Amino acid sequence: MHEVVRTFERWEQEMHHLLAHNREMHSRNEEFASIVEQVVIVALNASIEAARAGEHGRGFGVVAAEIRNLAGRAERLSKEYRANLYKNDMITTATFQDLQAGSKMITSAISGLDLMSNRARDSVGALES
């Protein structure tokens, strides 16, 4: 039974690592989203400059439009990723809480069994004396 408690303790440590990893992934996704926003702005500015250049800027305008399309796709991906991270957070938190509750129940049961075992041992010892 004590080995089961150690297993729960190990799982709890691993869940702490998983939660820390989730926070890091949120941070990286926010950085990615920020980069995407900047690319959208740069692409928009490039489109404006291409329009100002008229016929000479037509090719540059096509490139700017493609960059905007790519940035839009990256933005959608970032939002989907963020939503999945939040789902992952909820699942991880719920699992962590279940593990903690299970660990407490098992620890309590083991303590009760140890107490009963000690009392039984004391009773047998008293009878033998």
Side-chain angles (χ1 to χ4, degrees):
M1 288 296 271
H2 291 287
E3 189 62 36
V4 172
V5 171
R6 282 190 285 279
T7 299
F8 270 92
E9 288 171 348
R10 189 184 78 244
W11 288 347
E12 186 173 334
Q13 289 174 350
E14 290 172 1
M15 292 300 290
H16 280 291
H17 290 294
L18 182 58
L19 289 168
H21 182 69
N22 286 357
R23 284 190 298 274
E24 182 181 330
M25 291 174 70
H26 277 288
S27 175
R28 289 180 185 250
N29 188 57
E30 291 304 316
E31 182 179 353
F32 178 69
S34 176
I35 291 168
V36 169
E37 285 177 28
Q38 290 299 313
V39 171
V40 169
I41 291 169
V42 169
L44 179 61
N45 287 335
S47 293
I48 291 168
E49 292 303 319
R52 284 184 185 165
E55 189 63 32
H56 298 293
R58 182 185 293 175
F60 192 63
V62 170
V63 172
E66 186 58 30
I67 291 171
R68 259 194 334 273
N69 288 338
L70 290 172
R73 287 173 51 198
E75 185 176 38
R76 284 188 297 279
L77 252 164
S78 177
K79 287 179 181 177
E80 288 174 18
Y81 187 74
R82 182 183 302 124
N84 285 325
L85 281 174
Y86 284 120
K87 286 179 191 175
N88 191 40
D89 286 343
M90 291 180 359
I91 293 167
T92 302
T93 300
T95 303
F96 187 53
Q97 289 171 345
D98 286 347
L99 278 172
Q100 286 178 318
S103 178
K104 287 178 184 177
M105 287 188 301
I106 289 174
T107 301
S108 177
I110 289 172
S111 294
L113 288 173
D114 283 345
L115 181 61
M116 288 176 18
S117 175
N118 289 338
R119 285 183 181 165
R121 203 173 316 129
D122 291 346
S123 296
V124 169
L127 289 174
E128 290 176 350
S129 300

